[in-house]
Amino acid sequence: VEDIAVDFRVNGKEYHVNCAPSARLLDVLRDQLGLTGTKEGCGIGECGACTVLMNGKKVNSCMVLAGQARGADILTIEGVNGSDGELHPLQKAFIDAGAIQCGFCTPGMIMSSLELLNTTLEPSDEEIKQAISGNLCRCTGYKQIVDAIRLAARNMLAAKRRH
Ligand code: FES
Ligand code: FES
């Protein structure tokens, strides 16, 4: 089978890759672009470890063929940064709230949370739980994670009001 060509943007940078027609977005990100922050857990769309934003919407990158990402804007955890080389407020809050244990679920959790906080900085706990309902964590129980997202939202809202 011949390779296919895919042009897309990842973390604001243009990429042109050639890959097998069956290659998943997850494979291209990790193996061809070296963006290994995006994790593979289940490989069948159930754990959310592979979550990235595609045109601003979260997707399980294990369930998206690279060819489906043609022309898309992809954001991975490597593209999530705070200002001035600092951690993103979500990353800080995950650390502060004790929401990271083994860390395997964290990139996916952060991407799902980011999608939510891009739409509101005053999410209800229900909205937070809904936002991460496709992301599994075996370590923390979800309380610390919900706390972290609530904290990040509060900090981001306060920062926005200061500017
Ligand atoms: S690895 Fe994609 S959802 Fe689990
Ligand atoms: S911190 Fe280990 S899976 Fe979530």
Side-chain angles (χ1 to χ4, degrees), residues 24 26 38-51 59-64 104 134-136:
R24 305 167 303 170
L26 176 64
T38 304
K39 303 300 180 201
E40 172 156 19
C42 66
I44 54 170
E46 287 179 358
C47 75
C50 65
T51 305
V59 294
N60 289 325
S61 62
C62 72
M63 299 298 285
V64 176
F104 190 78
N135 294 84
L136 302 186

Side-chain angles (χ1 to χ4, degrees), residues 99-106 109 136-140 145:
I100 305 180
Q101 284 183 30
C102 81
F104 190 78
C105 69
T106 310
M109 287 286 182
L136 302 186
C137 177
R138 294 167 214 258
C139 304
T140 63
I145 293 176

Side-chain angles (χ1 to χ4, degrees), residues 145-158:
I145 293 176
V146 172
D147 289 348
I149 299 167
R150 196 191 305 108
L151 176 64
R154 207 177 292 147
N155 290 342
M156 287 166 76
L157 188 63

Side-chain angles (χ1 to χ4, degrees), residues 80-91:
V80 178
N81 302 300
S83 45
D84 303 329
E86 285 188 27
L87 290 178
H88 188 277
L90 266 168
Q91 294 168 317

